[in-house]
Amino acid sequence: MPEAKNDKNKFDKFVNWVNADEDISSREEENIADDDNDNRNDKSRDHFDNDSPSICDRLEPEDFHMGVVDEEFDYSEMFGDDSGRIDQDQAAALAENSARRVVLRKGVRDRFRTTQVFFTLVSVLLTIGIVGVLLLALSQMPQFGDPASPTNNEVYERYVQRGVEDTGATNIVAAIILDYRAFDTLGEAFVLFTALIGVIMLVRTSCGSQFILVERTQPLMLRFMIMLISPFILIYGIYILLNGHLTPGGGFSGGAILGSALSLYAISFGAQKVRTLLSFKTLLISISIALLFYAIVKGYSFVIGASGLSSGIPLGTPGNLFSGGLIVPLNISVGIVVAFTVYGLYALFSEGEV
Amino acid sequence: MLEALRSNYIEATALILFGIGLATLLWEKNLIKKIIGFNIMETSIFLFLTAKGYIAGRGAPIITDGITDVEYYINPLPSAIVLTGIVIAVSITAFMLALCLKIYDIYGTLDMDKITVMDMAERSED
Amino acid sequence: MQLYHHFPFIIIMLPMVMSVLILPFKNEITLRSISMLIQAICAALSFWLFASLLNSPVEYFTYQLGSFPAPWGNELRAGLIEAIMSGAFATVLFFSTMGGGQDTARDVKPGKRHYFYIMINLLTSSLMVLIYTNDIFTGYVFMEIHMLAACAILMAKESGETIKATIKYMCMSIVGSMLFLLSIAFLYGITGHLLMEPAKIVIARFAEAGLYWIPMVLTITLFSIAVFIKSSLLPFHTWLPDAHGYATTSVSAILSGVVLKGYVILLLKLIIRVYGIDVSDILGIMPAIFWLGLLSMTMGSLIALTQKDIKRMIAYSSVAHIGYIFMGIGFNTIFGFAAAGYHILAHAFSKSMLFIAAGRFINTAGGSKNIPDLVGVARKDKLAGVAFLVGALSLIGIPLFAGFPSKFYLATAAVREGQGIWIAVIVLAVSTLLNALYYIPTLQKFFSRDNAQEFSADYVPDKSSSIALVCLIIANIFLGVSYIPLISILERGFSFLG
């Protein structure tokens, strides 16, 4: 029960703030300094009853995303004075103000202290022990940069000597991650997808894209520079992505650059502008299609390879842009996944909505 | 042992960083600092792996001019491992940060000490 | 190349592809049915594969992922053990999803349901990869997906306790993953291989020549500690009671029944296939596993005795039973591994049944999880009472149920092995007694006639959980009576695992 009450307060404060049409920073300071419970309740109650706010009607208190209006909650009072006791009035006042009803007992605090000291001691000893053992093991390992170390075996030789003729790509690292060991990269793309879905589950409110957030406009200089530079960043990202099999780069780096370009644009011009191009649905659908494309194409390649047949995909001449068999399409799909995941994570963290 | 460590100083630094990251993850109370500790740990393992791939006197594994002789290129496999590992580190960090947001929503603090005390007190109240 | 050679790949790819395709669906029944269908297909294909392997002249086969053979490309490997474990886990996943479905519909908010089922599918797929992979690094990547998916389904309930439990689980799991990755780095540094079989050849050569001793000990220790943390062996078990206690019913059943065991299978594969039984004997990790298993068996049961919350009690019982499994591994003989494998199957089927039954009890009692509030609840919900009875008797080790053969074989392995034989048998006996000490009074309370409280008739358990419970009871009894063929199959499988 107290949880819902607190959320209602926060919600009312936010509605109050949206309707007040003031600058964000001054409003926050006022709320933090405003410690009086009664004052808060009065103001917000009026505003909520009178106007329907310019947010969607389906918004409920539990959908409210924390991070717009902040409450400073000082728990240092919980531990009382040095003797560990707090008087009845203090306890009553705390219990009323706090987000959760807490019964304070002296025994709890003392028991907690002892576990803390024990835990810290164990952590320190454990860490020093682990580092010591690791360094001891390192002293018996092969030397750094030694050509005769066990890692330079037939695996390494075939990758370098026959990498180009096996896969058609001159960047051997790209050949490894997208051809020799493509299953790991499939797993990696799915790790990104899992993390994005997990963050969506946690952060995204159920209100959907009708939630209009009041955003501050950035200074003109920033907007002007980003407007000039964004196309170049995008071109650079696409170049890195497409040339992944010829020079260092590939789907992951190119995708990260594209994702940061989108995030930069969202920071300077507001996420609403990016939302017109890239709504939540578009983002999820694009990521899904890219992942499915990777899974199906590589699945075909795996089954064909396991059966011992030849895959019939031309490798092209090494050094050309369209060479390397399947590597370019796979790079593009990985790039899409990474770019949209990076942008999606930025948007979810900064606004709670893509 | 120290002479052996001196020639492998990059890997030794990586292992010390691993220890620092582990200590931060276990020791620090603030959740954001725990995530930073995890990132230090992960980055140190990448440093370790990258150092494992290096061979003295050879260049990056991009085949140029059609020379596929082993004498000219370092080991490309650890770089592939690190590429995958970086993406996994980013994903886990993102997930943990979202969990921190949610914890702040519910408990109002990011300090694991205070959260544990709140839970302990509530549970002893039942 | 026979048809069944492609099955491991299909078992892995189908849930993965489905997890992406499930995105547009919103209806809970549709989502649950699709996920259950996928799990059923995986189970059916696994059992078909198992039958084919029983009758085929080769004991195992490797499946090359791509046009390049190992050690340059990735590969999967399927043998008897992998087939039976993946079949059993897919079945447990199927029944857990079915049995907890009503609670899932209540606990997970409508907007988040399709994400929940995406995570269930990803969990299925990553679990299958952990079982079938022949490459250590692939195992690591999918271990991360597994951890993220398990954390995601854990926090789907979105209450304060579940989020805190998720953070605790994740922090400890991350330490485990980092230790695993560091171990891969060291192992690569000395062998130069990421695939299991080529690495074994190099390690055998080093073990004979006595080279790289400390790094090898370090790598196997770090792998073991990583799996201990993720499988919640004492003293790394602190995340388990919160996670399993506060999650929704099907998630508790999945986490306890299946997620913990996937890592154990991975550790078994690492020990047998990368190091080999002889080398790991010399490296000296086995006594540590053995003693930690013994410690976990006793301490887990001791702490379970003090619990008043039914789900936490069952969770601590999981800690104890993971101890049994690790004790079986600690014997370092094929028969010990087979006994541990039997206990993996028995525990998976029993524990999920316990959690589904406990979920129904909690709902009948109106949401209270404390045992004093659940007195007499089995009189109201008879099927769940019978299921809880069967599960508890199985975990105590009563003959006819699944737990008895596995405990019997663990004791037999101790006697055969000769290493720490008396301590193992004594601890087994003590632990069985402790198990009985907390299960029997609980059962007494559930079935007691003299309850003062009336349980409201608001809650009607739906048919799917009843069907799930009945099927799990049948599976339990089947495992309990057909132990002679099963243990010989497990022995045969483990002898060819390496």
Side-chain angles (χ1 to χ4, degrees):
Chain A
M1 264 319 126
E3 249 176 292
K5 169 169 166 255
N6 198 45
D7 277 343
K8 196 102 172 100
N9 277 343
K10 285 189 275 198
F11 176 68
D12 294 341
K13 265 197 289 182
F14 172 73
V15 167
N16 193 18
W17 169 61
V18 164
N19 288 333
D21 239 342
E22 282 174 29
D23 193 78
I24 303 176
S25 44
S26 68
R27 198 74 203 172
E28 269 186 356
E29 278 163 11
E30 188 184 348
N31 277 330
I32 287 173
D34 188 19
D35 241 341
D36 199 339
N37 245 343
D38 305 319
N39 213 359
R40 204 161 45 199
N41 281 336
D42 278 341
K43 270 196 290 198
S44 47
R45 203 61 67 195
D46 280 340
H47 279 267
F48 184 58
D49 286 340
N50 285 343
D51 336 337
S52 187
S54 60
I55 343 175
C56 80
D57 297 322
R58 293 180 289 138
L59 195 66
E60 274 147 34
E62 57 261 16
D63 292 337
F64 182 82
H65 171 60
M66 184 72 167
V68 176
V69 175
D70 218 348
E71 258 193 84
E72 273 292 331
F73 203 99
D74 186 13
Y75 276 93
S76 60
E77 294 181 319
M78 249 171 74
F79 293 101
D81 60 0
D82 283 323
S83 63
R85 271 178 272 125
I86 63 172
D87 62 343
Q88 286 300 99
D89 295 346
Q90 264 181 303
L94 270 178
E96 228 180 78
N97 278 345
S98 68
R100 303 161 78 78
R101 275 184 313 117
V102 173
V103 172
L104 304 161
R105 291 211 301 247
K106 180 170 183 295
V108 169
R109 179 182 176 225
D110 290 338
R111 198 174 50 192
F112 185 64
R113 264 290 151 80
T114 5
T115 31
Q116 279 310 292
V117 170
F118 175 66
F119 185 65
T120 313
L121 206 62
V122 166
S123 309
V124 175
L125 289 175
L126 188 74
T127 321
I128 296 182
I130 288 184
V131 175
V133 169
L134 289 173
L135 287 175
L136 185 63
L138 179 62
S139 63
Q140 283 201 5
M141 300 271 287
Q143 259 210 344
F144 172 67
D146 184 9
S149 86
T151 61
N152 306 331
N153 51 11
E154 70 271 13
V155 179
Y156 153 65
E157 280 167 18
R158 175 168 173 168
Y159 282 154
V160 169
Q161 284 168 343
R162 294 180 46 189
V164 180
E165 64 176 276
D166 276 343
T167 62
T170 46
N171 180 0
I172 302 296
V173 179
I176 295 178
I177 63 173
L178 286 172
D179 210 336
Y180 285 106
R181 301 183 65 92
F183 192 57
D184 294 342
T185 316
L186 178 66
E188 183 185 349
F190 269 94
V191 171
L192 269 176
F193 178 66
T194 313
L196 180 67
I197 297 286
V199 172
I200 291 177
M201 269 174 95
L202 278 170
V203 164
R204 188 160 179 263
T205 64
S206 49
C207 178
S209 57
Q210 289 184 34
F211 186 58
I212 301 174
L213 187 69
V214 176
E215 287 172 328
R216 209 197 313 218
T217 49
Q218 301 290 340
L220 179 64
M221 193 58 189
L222 176 66
R223 283 184 279 143
F224 180 65
M225 290 307 295
I226 293 295
M227 192 176 70
L228 278 187
I229 293 183
S230 281
F232 295 102
I233 304 181
L234 284 171
I235 293 179
Y236 183 58
I238 295 177
Y239 159 75
I240 295 261
L241 206 156
L242 286 179
N243 276 294
H245 59 295
L246 301 171
T247 51
F252 295 101
S253 352
I257 296 175
L258 289 172
S260 9
L262 284 171
S263 309
L264 266 178
Y265 196 78
I267 292 176
S268 40
F269 286 95
Q272 195 58 37
K273 275 218 160 179
V274 187
R275 206 168 288 143
T276 55
L277 167 69
L278 190 67
S279 70
F280 180 64
K281 235 174 149 190
T282 320
L283 193 129
L284 274 186
I285 292 178
S286 326
I287 294 183
S288 314
I289 294 180
L291 276 173
L292 276 175
F293 175 73
Y294 192 116
I296 293 176
V297 165
K298 257 312 163 187
Y300 161 76
S301 176
F302 290 153
V303 173
I304 294 290
S307 315
L309 312 166
S310 73
S311 68
I313 296 170
L315 286 181
T317 38
N320 273 2
L321 185 57
F322 292 108
S323 63
L326 284 173
I327 293 189
V328 175
L330 291 179
N331 258 333
I332 296 177
S333 59
V334 165
I336 292 178
V337 172
V338 175
F340 288 171
T341 305
V342 167
Y343 170 66
L345 287 175
Y346 159 73
L348 282 165
F349 280 132
S350 75
E351 287 156 34
E353 171 57 58
V354 177
Chain B
M1 174 174 132
L2 278 179
E3 291 75 40
L5 283 183
R6 199 145 49 115
S7 62
N8 285 358
Y9 63 95
I10 296 184
E11 284 114 334
T13 319
L15 291 175
I16 297 177
L17 275 175
F18 184 83
I20 295 175
L22 187 64
T24 317
L25 180 57
L26 292 177
W27 202 344
E28 281 286 345
K29 309 287 184 293
N30 191 330
L31 278 173
I32 302 285
K33 293 189 187 169
K34 282 193 197 258
I35 299 176
I36 294 178
F38 159 68
N39 272 308
I40 297 177
M41 261 168 62
E42 188 108 33
T43 314
S44 74
I45 300 183
F46 299 150
L47 177 63
F48 187 85
L49 271 170
T50 319
K52 277 275 165 268
Y54 178 69
I55 308 174
R58 304 186 189 178
I62 313 284
I63 307 285
T64 47
D65 302 330
I67 303 176
T68 57
D69 207 358
V70 155
E71 296 289 313
Y72 291 93
Y73 304 109
I74 64 166
N75 196 348
L77 189 56
S79 307
I81 301 178
V82 168
L83 261 179
T84 309
I86 293 178
V87 173
I88 294 179
V90 167
S91 308
I92 299 180
T93 309
F95 196 84
M96 287 218 51
L97 285 171
L99 277 174
C100 288
L101 271 180
K102 200 72 182 183
I103 287 225
Y104 192 76
D105 240 352
I106 296 177
Y107 288 94
T109 173
L110 276 181
D111 189 326
M112 281 304 282
D113 264 5
K114 294 179 179 166
I115 295 175
T116 319
V117 169
M118 282 166 75
D119 257 4
M120 241 197 227
E122 272 217 19
R123 220 181 303 148
S124 55
E125 148 193 345
D126 295 330
Chain C
M1 177 122 278
Q2 313 255 9
L3 177 63
Y4 65 82
H5 283 220
H6 293 288
F7 284 173
F9 181 67
I10 301 179
I11 292 174
I12 291 174
M13 286 306 283
L14 190 60
M16 223 192 282
V17 168
M18 213 44 175
S19 75
V20 177
L21 286 175
I22 217 175
L23 213 43
F25 297 101
K26 300 280 189 249
N27 182 11
E28 217 266 332
I29 307 286
T30 327
L31 288 166
R32 203 191 326 158
S33 319
I34 296 180
S35 311
M36 278 166 46
L37 179 67
I38 299 292
Q39 285 154 359
I41 294 179
C42 290
L45 288 177
S46 303
F47 287 128
W48 187 350
L49 175 66
F50 173 65
S52 316
L53 279 172
L54 269 182
N55 300 326
S56 90
V58 290
E59 294 289 337
Y60 62 88
F61 61 90
T62 57
Y63 185 85
Q64 194 181 304
L65 288 174
S67 349
F68 307 102
W72 297 282
N74 242 317
E75 69 177 11
L76 299 173
R77 184 179 137 140
L80 280 174
I81 297 294
E82 289 96 335
I84 202 176
M85 289 296 171
S86 74
F89 289 167
T91 318
V92 170
L93 275 169
F94 177 78
F95 287 125
S96 304
T97 320
M98 179 156 72
Q102 198 182 10
D103 289 345
T104 313
R106 183 196 62 196
D107 287 334
V108 181
K109 291 199 201 116
K112 322 260 170 157
R113 289 204 187 123
H114 47 292
Y115 302 130
F116 180 81
Y117 282 102
I118 291 179
M119 291 300 179
I120 296 246
N121 279 313
L122 281 168
L123 191 129
T124 316
S125 169
S126 53
L127 183 66
M128 297 302 152
V129 173
L130 286 181
I131 297 178
Y132 282 112
T133 181
N134 209 19
D135 180 312
I136 313 176
F137 188 61
T138 311
Y140 169 71
V141 173
F142 282 88
M143 200 162 78
E144 300 300 307
I145 299 188
H146 202 223
M147 171 180 80
L148 283 176
C151 290
I153 62 174
L154 179 55
M155 73 185 186
K157 197 171 165 190
E158 285 193 26
S159 65
E161 309 132 331
T162 36
I163 303 282
K164 177 163 172 288
T166 316
I167 279 251
K168 212 168 172 191
Y169 179 26
M170 202 146 187
C171 280
M172 296 192 72
S173 229
I174 281 177
V175 174
S177 298
M178 288 299 102
L179 291 175
F180 199 92
L181 186 61
L182 186 64
S183 190
I184 293 181
F186 269 101
L187 194 65
Y188 179 73
I190 53 176
T191 59
H193 288 286
L194 289 174
L195 279 124
M196 293 190 188
E197 270 135 24
K200 183 173 188 177
I201 301 175
V202 181
I203 285 186
R205 207 173 59 219
F206 286 155
E208 276 202 35
L211 289 171
Y212 297 124
W213 199 245
I214 299 185
M216 282 208 283
V217 175
L218 178 74
T219 46
I220 199 172
T221 313
L222 287 179
F223 280 138
S224 307
I225 296 182
V227 171
F228 292 163
I229 296 178
K230 285 173 178 276
S231 292
S232 86
L233 193 65
L234 226 97
F236 305 111
H237 70 290
T238 45
W239 59 269
L240 187 108
D242 288 335
H244 293 197
Y246 294 133
T248 175
T249 309
S250 57
V251 173
S252 297
I254 290 177
L255 284 178
S256 209
V258 159
V259 168
L260 295 177
K261 317 285 186 351
Y263 300 118
V264 179
I265 307 268
L266 187 63
L267 181 66
L268 272 171
K269 287 191 339 180
L270 284 172
I271 290 179
I272 302 180
R273 215 180 282 174
V274 175
Y275 294 93
I277 298 183
D278 319 311
V279 177
S280 48
D281 229 345
I282 315 176
L283 289 178
I285 187 67
M286 289 312 184
I289 298 184
F290 180 71
W291 285 101
L292 278 177
L294 288 181
L295 185 66
S296 205
M297 276 158 65
T298 41
M299 291 302 296
S301 298
L302 279 175
I303 306 180
L305 278 172
T306 67
Q307 294 300 314
K308 284 209 211 47
D309 180 337
I310 174 99
K311 283 181 95 160
R312 283 177 79 92
M313 183 188 92
I314 304 178
Y316 274 111
S317 163
S318 277
V319 175
H321 284 273
I322 291 286
Y324 280 95
I325 298 174
F326 275 103
M327 182 187 83
I329 296 178
F331 289 128
N332 209 17
T333 58
I334 295 293
F335 193 75
F337 294 146
Y342 206 111
H343 199 70
I344 290 178
L345 295 172
H347 186 241
F349 280 97
S350 314
K351 199 42 78 75
S352 45
M353 187 164 56
L354 281 179
F355 269 116
I356 299 176
R360 274 168 67 140
F361 286 159
I362 294 173
N363 287 333
T364 315
S368 161
K369 288 199 255 182
N370 291 322
I371 298 183
D373 294 336
L374 295 173
V375 172
V377 75
R379 295 271 160 205
K380 181 112 197 297
D381 189 348
K382 297 205 173 48
L383 179 59
V386 169
F388 200 92
L389 179 72
V390 169
L393 291 181
S394 156
L395 288 179
I396 297 175
I398 307 291
L400 184 66
F401 299 114
F404 169 69
S406 60
K407 289 201 186 180
F408 178 68
Y409 286 130
L410 281 170
T412 318
V415 171
R416 277 194 204 183
E417 168 61 9
Q419 166 205 319
I421 145 185
W422 291 120
I423 184 81
V425 174
I426 291 176
V427 173
L428 262 174
V430 165
S431 176
T432 309
L433 187 65
L434 286 173
N435 267 312
L437 267 179
Y438 58 83
Y439 275 126
I440 305 265
T442 319
L443 281 168
Q444 261 185 332
K445 286 206 191 81
F446 287 162
F447 278 99
S448 80
R449 277 186 199 282
D450 51 60
N451 73 318
Q453 53 209 349
E454 292 294 323
F455 295 112
S456 70
D458 288 341
Y459 168 71
V460 175
D462 67 345
K463 292 236 176 20
S464 56
S465 65
S466 308
I467 300 177
L469 284 175
V470 167
C471 293
L472 282 172
I473 294 176
I474 296 176
N476 207 316
I477 300 184
F478 172 73
L479 276 176
V481 299
S482 63
Y483 52 91
I484 297 186
L486 200 50
I487 193 74
S488 61
I489 292 176
L490 283 172
E491 258 191 295
R492 182 175 142 196
F494 273 108
S495 58
F496 286 101
L497 194 63

